[in-house]
Short mmCIF file of all heavy atoms in Angstrom, two decimals:
data_model
loop_
_atom_site.label_atom_id
_atom_site.label_comp_id
_atom_site.label_asym_id
_atom_site.label_seq_id
_atom_site.Cartn_x
_atom_site.Cartn_y
_atom_site.Cartn_z
N ARG V 1 -89.26 212.04 35.48
CA ARG V 1 -89.26 212.44 34.08
C ARG V 1 -88.05 213.32 33.75
O ARG V 1 -87.44 213.18 32.69
CB ARG V 1 -90.56 213.19 33.75
CG ARG V 1 -90.69 213.55 32.29
CD ARG V 1 -92.02 214.27 32.04
NE ARG V 1 -93.15 213.41 32.36
CZ ARG V 1 -93.69 212.56 31.50
NH1 ARG V 1 -93.17 212.43 30.29
NH2 ARG V 1 -94.72 211.83 31.85
N GLU V 2 -87.71 214.24 34.64
CA GLU V 2 -86.58 215.12 34.41
C GLU V 2 -85.27 214.32 34.37
O GLU V 2 -84.39 214.60 33.53
CB GLU V 2 -86.47 216.16 35.53
CG GLU V 2 -85.32 217.16 35.33
CD GLU V 2 -85.29 218.20 36.43
OE1 GLU V 2 -86.26 218.28 37.21
OE2 GLU V 2 -84.29 218.93 36.50
N GLU V 3 -85.15 213.30 35.21
CA GLU V 3 -83.96 212.46 35.19
C GLU V 3 -83.89 211.65 33.89
O GLU V 3 -82.79 211.46 33.33
CB GLU V 3 -83.97 211.52 36.40
CG GLU V 3 -83.78 212.22 37.73
CD GLU V 3 -83.91 211.29 38.91
OE1 GLU V 3 -84.71 210.32 38.80
OE2 GLU V 3 -83.25 211.51 39.93
N GLN V 4 -85.01 211.16 33.43
CA GLN V 4 -85.04 210.41 32.17
C GLN V 4 -84.57 211.30 31.02
O GLN V 4 -83.79 210.86 30.17
CB GLN V 4 -86.47 209.91 31.89
CG GLN V 4 -86.96 208.86 32.86
CD GLN V 4 -88.41 208.49 32.58
OE1 GLN V 4 -89.03 208.96 31.65
NE2 GLN V 4 -88.96 207.62 33.43
N GLN V 5 -85.02 212.56 31.02
CA GLN V 5 -84.60 213.47 29.96
C GLN V 5 -83.10 213.81 30.07
O GLN V 5 -82.42 213.90 29.06
CB GLN V 5 -85.43 214.76 30.03
CG GLN V 5 -85.24 215.69 28.84
CD GLN V 5 -85.62 215.04 27.51
OE1 GLN V 5 -86.56 214.24 27.47
NE2 GLN V 5 -84.90 215.38 26.45
N GLN V 6 -82.63 213.99 31.29
CA GLN V 6 -81.19 214.24 31.50
C GLN V 6 -80.37 213.09 30.97
O GLN V 6 -79.36 213.30 30.26
CB GLN V 6 -80.91 214.41 32.99
CG GLN V 6 -81.26 215.76 33.57
CD GLN V 6 -80.87 215.83 35.03
OE1 GLN V 6 -81.46 215.17 35.90
NE2 GLN V 6 -79.86 216.62 35.34
N PHE V 7 -80.76 211.88 31.29
CA PHE V 7 -80.04 210.71 30.84
C PHE V 7 -80.06 210.62 29.30
O PHE V 7 -79.02 210.37 28.68
CB PHE V 7 -80.61 209.43 31.44
CG PHE V 7 -79.94 208.19 30.89
CD1 PHE V 7 -78.73 207.76 31.42
CD2 PHE V 7 -80.52 207.47 29.84
CE1 PHE V 7 -78.10 206.63 30.91
CE2 PHE V 7 -79.89 206.35 29.34
CZ PHE V 7 -78.67 205.93 29.87
N LEU V 8 -81.23 210.84 28.71
CA LEU V 8 -81.35 210.76 27.27
C LEU V 8 -80.39 211.71 26.57
O LEU V 8 -79.70 211.33 25.62
CB LEU V 8 -82.79 211.08 26.84
CG LEU V 8 -83.06 211.20 25.35
CD1 LEU V 8 -82.72 209.92 24.63
CD2 LEU V 8 -84.53 211.58 25.11
N GLU V 9 -80.32 212.96 27.05
CA GLU V 9 -79.46 213.95 26.42
C GLU V 9 -77.99 213.60 26.56
O GLU V 9 -77.20 213.72 25.61
CB GLU V 9 -79.74 215.33 26.99
CG GLU V 9 -81.12 215.87 26.67
CD GLU V 9 -81.38 215.91 25.16
OE1 GLU V 9 -80.47 216.27 24.40
OE2 GLU V 9 -82.50 215.53 24.75
N VAL V 10 -77.58 213.15 27.74
CA VAL V 10 -76.17 212.81 27.96
C VAL V 10 -75.81 211.55 27.18
O VAL V 10 -74.74 211.46 26.59
CB VAL V 10 -75.88 212.63 29.47
CG1 VAL V 10 -74.43 212.20 29.68
CG2 VAL V 10 -76.14 213.93 30.22
N PHE V 11 -76.70 210.57 27.18
CA PHE V 11 -76.45 209.33 26.43
C PHE V 11 -76.36 209.61 24.94
O PHE V 11 -75.53 209.03 24.24
CB PHE V 11 -77.53 208.29 26.70
CG PHE V 11 -77.28 206.98 26.05
CD1 PHE V 11 -76.38 206.07 26.58
CD2 PHE V 11 -77.92 206.66 24.87
CE1 PHE V 11 -76.14 204.85 25.97
CE2 PHE V 11 -77.68 205.44 24.23
CZ PHE V 11 -76.79 204.53 24.79
N ARG V 12 -77.19 210.52 24.45
CA ARG V 12 -77.13 210.91 23.03
C ARG V 12 -75.77 211.51 22.71
O ARG V 12 -75.15 211.18 21.70
CB ARG V 12 -78.27 211.89 22.73
CG ARG V 12 -78.50 212.11 21.23
CD ARG V 12 -79.33 213.37 21.03
NE ARG V 12 -80.48 213.46 21.89
CZ ARG V 12 -81.70 213.06 21.58
NH1 ARG V 12 -81.94 212.51 20.41
NH2 ARG V 12 -82.70 213.23 22.45
N ARG V 13 -75.30 212.38 23.59
CA ARG V 13 -73.99 213.02 23.38
C ARG V 13 -72.87 211.98 23.39
O ARG V 13 -71.94 212.03 22.58
CB ARG V 13 -73.75 214.08 24.46
CG ARG V 13 -74.56 215.35 24.31
CD ARG V 13 -74.29 216.26 25.48
NE ARG V 13 -72.85 216.46 25.65
CZ ARG V 13 -72.29 216.82 26.81
NH1 ARG V 13 -73.02 216.94 27.91
NH2 ARG V 13 -70.98 217.01 26.88
N LEU V 14 -72.97 211.02 24.32
CA LEU V 14 -71.94 209.97 24.40
C LEU V 14 -71.94 209.13 23.12
O LEU V 14 -70.87 208.76 22.62
CB LEU V 14 -72.21 209.08 25.62
CG LEU V 14 -71.29 207.85 25.76
CD1 LEU V 14 -69.84 208.25 25.88
CD2 LEU V 14 -71.72 207.01 26.97
N SER V 15 -73.09 208.83 22.60
CA SER V 15 -73.18 208.03 21.38
C SER V 15 -72.53 208.72 20.19
O SER V 15 -71.75 208.12 19.45
CB SER V 15 -74.65 207.69 21.07
OG SER V 15 -75.24 206.97 22.13
N VAL V 16 -72.82 210.01 20.05
CA VAL V 16 -72.22 210.77 18.93
C VAL V 16 -70.71 210.88 19.16
O VAL V 16 -69.91 210.73 18.21
CB VAL V 16 -72.85 212.17 18.84
CG1 VAL V 16 -72.16 212.99 17.74
CG2 VAL V 16 -74.35 212.07 18.56
N ALA V 17 -70.30 211.12 20.40
CA ALA V 17 -68.87 211.23 20.71
C ALA V 17 -68.13 209.94 20.41
O ALA V 17 -66.99 209.94 19.93
CB ALA V 17 -68.69 211.60 22.18
N THR V 18 -68.78 208.81 20.67
CA THR V 18 -68.16 207.50 20.40
C THR V 18 -67.93 207.31 18.90
O THR V 18 -66.85 206.88 18.48
CB THR V 18 -69.05 206.38 20.94
OG1 THR V 18 -69.22 206.55 22.35
CG2 THR V 18 -68.41 205.01 20.69
N TYR V 19 -68.93 207.64 18.11
CA TYR V 19 -68.76 207.56 16.64
C TYR V 19 -67.65 208.50 16.17
O TYR V 19 -66.80 208.14 15.35
CB TYR V 19 -70.07 207.92 15.95
CG TYR V 19 -71.05 206.78 15.77
CD1 TYR V 19 -72.25 206.73 16.47
CD2 TYR V 19 -70.78 205.72 14.90
CE1 TYR V 19 -73.15 205.70 16.30
CE2 TYR V 19 -71.67 204.68 14.72
CZ TYR V 19 -72.85 204.67 15.42
OH TYR V 19 -73.75 203.64 15.25
N ALA V 20 -67.67 209.75 16.67
CA ALA V 20 -66.69 210.76 16.24
C ALA V 20 -65.27 210.33 16.61
O ALA V 20 -64.31 210.62 15.88
CB ALA V 20 -67.01 212.11 16.86
N SER V 21 -65.13 209.66 17.73
CA SER V 21 -63.80 209.23 18.17
C SER V 21 -63.31 208.01 17.41
O SER V 21 -62.12 207.91 17.08
CB SER V 21 -63.85 208.91 19.67
OG SER V 21 -62.64 208.41 20.13
N ARG V 22 -64.20 207.09 17.12
CA ARG V 22 -63.78 205.85 16.46
C ARG V 22 -63.51 206.02 14.98
O ARG V 22 -62.59 205.42 14.43
CB ARG V 22 -64.86 204.78 16.65
CG ARG V 22 -64.95 204.23 18.07
CD ARG V 22 -66.08 203.22 18.19
NE ARG V 22 -66.11 202.59 19.51
CZ ARG V 22 -67.07 201.77 19.92
NH1 ARG V 22 -68.06 201.48 19.11
NH2 ARG V 22 -67.03 201.25 21.12
N PHE V 23 -64.32 206.81 14.31
CA PHE V 23 -64.21 206.89 12.83
C PHE V 23 -63.50 208.20 12.45
O PHE V 23 -64.10 209.12 11.92
CB PHE V 23 -65.61 206.83 12.21
CG PHE V 23 -66.29 205.50 12.43
CD1 PHE V 23 -67.04 205.25 13.57
CD2 PHE V 23 -66.15 204.47 11.51
CE1 PHE V 23 -67.66 204.03 13.79
CE2 PHE V 23 -66.75 203.22 11.71
CZ PHE V 23 -67.49 203.01 12.84
N ASP V 24 -62.19 208.21 12.71
CA ASP V 24 -61.44 209.45 12.54
C ASP V 24 -60.29 209.37 11.54
O ASP V 24 -59.54 210.30 11.38
CB ASP V 24 -60.88 209.91 13.91
CG ASP V 24 -59.88 208.92 14.50
OD1 ASP V 24 -59.73 207.81 13.93
OD2 ASP V 24 -59.27 209.26 15.51
N ASN V 25 -60.14 208.22 10.89
CA ASN V 25 -59.04 208.09 9.94
C ASN V 25 -59.39 207.00 8.92
O ASN V 25 -60.01 206.02 9.28
CB ASN V 25 -57.74 207.74 10.66
CG ASN V 25 -56.53 207.94 9.79
OD1 ASN V 25 -56.50 208.84 8.93
ND2 ASN V 25 -55.49 207.15 9.97
N TYR V 26 -58.98 207.20 7.68
CA TYR V 26 -59.38 206.29 6.61
C TYR V 26 -58.18 205.57 6.02
O TYR V 26 -57.16 206.20 5.69
CB TYR V 26 -60.08 207.08 5.51
CG TYR V 26 -60.59 206.21 4.36
CD1 TYR V 26 -61.68 205.39 4.53
CD2 TYR V 26 -59.98 206.25 3.11
CE1 TYR V 26 -62.17 204.61 3.51
CE2 TYR V 26 -60.45 205.48 2.06
CZ TYR V 26 -61.55 204.67 2.26
OH TYR V 26 -62.02 203.90 1.23
N ASN V 27 -58.28 204.25 5.91
CA ASN V 27 -57.23 203.44 5.30
C ASN V 27 -57.82 202.40 4.34
O ASN V 27 -57.37 201.25 4.30
CB ASN V 27 -56.40 202.71 6.39
CG ASN V 27 -55.47 203.65 7.11
OD1 ASN V 27 -54.62 204.28 6.50
ND2 ASN V 27 -55.63 203.76 8.42
N GLY V 28 -58.85 202.82 3.62
CA GLY V 28 -59.44 201.93 2.62
C GLY V 28 -60.57 201.06 3.16
O GLY V 28 -61.02 200.14 2.45
N GLU V 29 -61.07 201.34 4.35
CA GLU V 29 -62.18 200.55 4.90
C GLU V 29 -63.43 200.76 4.03
O GLU V 29 -63.62 201.81 3.41
CB GLU V 29 -62.50 200.97 6.34
CG GLU V 29 -61.41 200.67 7.33
CD GLU V 29 -60.36 201.75 7.44
OE1 GLU V 29 -60.38 202.69 6.61
OE2 GLU V 29 -59.52 201.67 8.33
N ARG V 30 -64.30 199.78 4.03
CA ARG V 30 -65.54 199.89 3.26
C ARG V 30 -66.64 199.03 3.92
O ARG V 30 -66.35 198.02 4.58
CB ARG V 30 -65.36 199.45 1.80
CG ARG V 30 -65.03 198.01 1.60
CD ARG V 30 -64.72 197.70 0.14
NE ARG V 30 -64.56 196.27 -0.13
CZ ARG V 30 -63.45 195.59 0.10
NH1 ARG V 30 -62.38 196.21 0.58
NH2 ARG V 30 -63.40 194.30 -0.18
N PHE V 31 -67.88 199.45 3.72
CA PHE V 31 -69.03 198.71 4.21
C PHE V 31 -69.69 197.99 3.04
O PHE V 31 -69.79 198.53 1.94
CB PHE V 31 -70.06 199.65 4.85
CG PHE V 31 -69.58 200.29 6.13
CD1 PHE V 31 -69.05 201.57 6.12
CD2 PHE V 31 -69.69 199.61 7.35
CE1 PHE V 31 -68.64 202.17 7.31
CE2 PHE V 31 -69.27 200.20 8.51
CZ PHE V 31 -68.75 201.49 8.50
N GLN V 32 -70.18 196.77 3.31
CA GLN V 32 -70.89 196.01 2.28
C GLN V 32 -72.24 195.56 2.86
O GLN V 32 -72.30 195.03 3.98
CB GLN V 32 -70.09 194.76 1.88
CG GLN V 32 -68.76 195.08 1.19
CD GLN V 32 -67.97 193.83 0.82
OE1 GLN V 32 -68.29 192.73 1.28
NE2 GLN V 32 -66.95 194.01 0.02
N HIS V 33 -73.29 195.76 2.08
CA HIS V 33 -74.60 195.29 2.49
C HIS V 33 -74.73 193.81 2.15
O HIS V 33 -74.37 193.37 1.07
CB HIS V 33 -75.69 196.10 1.78
CG HIS V 33 -77.08 195.58 2.01
ND1 HIS V 33 -77.75 194.82 1.09
CD2 HIS V 33 -77.91 195.71 3.09
CE1 HIS V 33 -78.94 194.50 1.60
NE2 HIS V 33 -79.05 195.02 2.79
N VAL V 34 -75.30 193.02 3.10
CA VAL V 34 -75.47 191.60 2.92
C VAL V 34 -76.94 191.26 2.72
O VAL V 34 -77.31 190.59 1.74
CB VAL V 34 -74.88 190.79 4.10
CG1 VAL V 34 -75.14 189.29 3.91
CG2 VAL V 34 -73.39 191.06 4.26
N SER V 35 -77.80 191.68 3.65
CA SER V 35 -79.20 191.36 3.55
C SER V 35 -80.02 192.29 4.41
O SER V 35 -79.51 192.91 5.33
CB SER V 35 -79.48 189.90 3.97
OG SER V 35 -79.14 189.71 5.34
N SER V 36 -81.33 192.37 4.11
CA SER V 36 -82.28 193.14 4.94
C SER V 36 -83.56 192.31 5.04
O SER V 36 -84.12 191.89 4.01
CB SER V 36 -82.59 194.51 4.28
OG SER V 36 -81.43 195.30 4.18
N ARG V 37 -84.01 192.09 6.27
CA ARG V 37 -85.20 191.28 6.48
C ARG V 37 -86.06 191.86 7.58
O ARG V 37 -85.54 192.25 8.64
CB ARG V 37 -84.85 189.84 6.85
CG ARG V 37 -84.02 189.10 5.80
CD ARG V 37 -83.92 187.65 6.13
NE ARG V 37 -83.13 186.94 5.14
CZ ARG V 37 -83.05 185.61 5.07
NH1 ARG V 37 -83.72 184.86 5.94
NH2 ARG V 37 -82.33 185.02 4.14
N GLU V 38 -87.37 191.89 7.33
CA GLU V 38 -88.30 192.31 8.36
C GLU V 38 -88.60 191.07 9.21
O GLU V 38 -89.25 190.11 8.76
CB GLU V 38 -89.58 192.87 7.74
CG GLU V 38 -90.50 193.50 8.78
CD GLU V 38 -91.57 194.36 8.17
OE1 GLU V 38 -91.72 194.36 6.92
OE2 GLU V 38 -92.27 195.08 8.93
N VAL V 39 -88.11 191.06 10.45
CA VAL V 39 -88.20 189.87 11.27
C VAL V 39 -89.54 189.77 11.99
O VAL V 39 -89.93 188.69 12.46
CB VAL V 39 -87.05 189.84 12.30
CG1 VAL V 39 -85.70 189.74 11.59
CG2 VAL V 39 -87.08 191.05 13.22
N SER V 40 -90.25 190.89 12.10
CA SER V 40 -91.60 190.92 12.67
C SER V 40 -92.16 192.29 12.30
O SER V 40 -91.40 193.18 11.88
CB SER V 40 -91.57 190.72 14.20
OG SER V 40 -90.89 191.78 14.82
N PRO V 41 -93.46 192.49 12.41
CA PRO V 41 -94.04 193.79 12.05
C PRO V 41 -93.35 194.94 12.77
O PRO V 41 -93.31 194.96 14.01
CB PRO V 41 -95.51 193.66 12.45
CG PRO V 41 -95.79 192.20 12.33
CD PRO V 41 -94.52 191.52 12.79
N GLY V 42 -92.77 195.84 12.02
CA GLY V 42 -92.12 197.01 12.62
C GLY V 42 -90.70 196.76 13.08
O GLY V 42 -90.10 197.66 13.70
N ARG V 43 -90.14 195.59 12.80
CA ARG V 43 -88.78 195.29 13.20
C ARG V 43 -87.98 194.75 12.00
O ARG V 43 -88.45 193.85 11.32
CB ARG V 43 -88.73 194.26 14.34
CG ARG V 43 -89.25 194.78 15.67
CD ARG V 43 -89.28 193.68 16.72
NE ARG V 43 -89.73 194.19 18.00
CZ ARG V 43 -88.92 194.62 18.97
NH1 ARG V 43 -87.62 194.58 18.80
NH2 ARG V 43 -89.42 195.09 20.10
N MET V 44 -86.81 195.30 11.80
CA MET V 44 -85.98 194.93 10.66
C MET V 44 -84.56 194.66 11.11
O MET V 44 -84.04 195.33 12.01
CB MET V 44 -85.99 196.07 9.64
CG MET V 44 -85.37 195.73 8.30
SD MET V 44 -86.52 194.88 7.21
CE MET V 44 -87.75 196.17 6.95
N VAL V 45 -83.92 193.67 10.47
CA VAL V 45 -82.48 193.44 10.68
C VAL V 45 -81.78 193.66 9.35
O VAL V 45 -82.11 193.04 8.34
CB VAL V 45 -82.19 192.00 11.18
CG1 VAL V 45 -80.69 191.74 11.18
CG2 VAL V 45 -82.76 191.82 12.58
#
């Protein structure tokens, strides 16, 4: 259990670090929503 918690915390930090590193400069990029569908109870794409 302690190892699982250690991994979770480090993996969480890596995920945030990855976003912070990748999205660091703006040149007119934009996001567009296409669709949202519930593919099964409790699951959405």
Side-chain angles (χ1 to χ4, degrees):
R1 184 179 299 274
E2 182 178 349
E3 291 175 328
Q4 293 176 3
Q5 190 60 35
Q6 281 182 291
F7 176 81
L8 173 60
E9 293 304 319
V10 177
F11 183 79
R12 193 197 314 265
R13 288 177 51 205
L14 174 60
S15 299
V16 177
T18 301
Y19 275 112
S21 175
R22 288 178 175 174
F23 295 88
D24 64 352
N25 195 32
Y26 183 72
N27 285 302
E29 295 86 352
R30 66 186 187 278
F31 292 98
Q32 295 178 349
H33 173 258
V34 177
S35 64
S36 298
R37 299 190 181 191
E38 189 165 8
V39 297
S40 63
R43 291 176 178 266
M44 189 83 64
V45 172

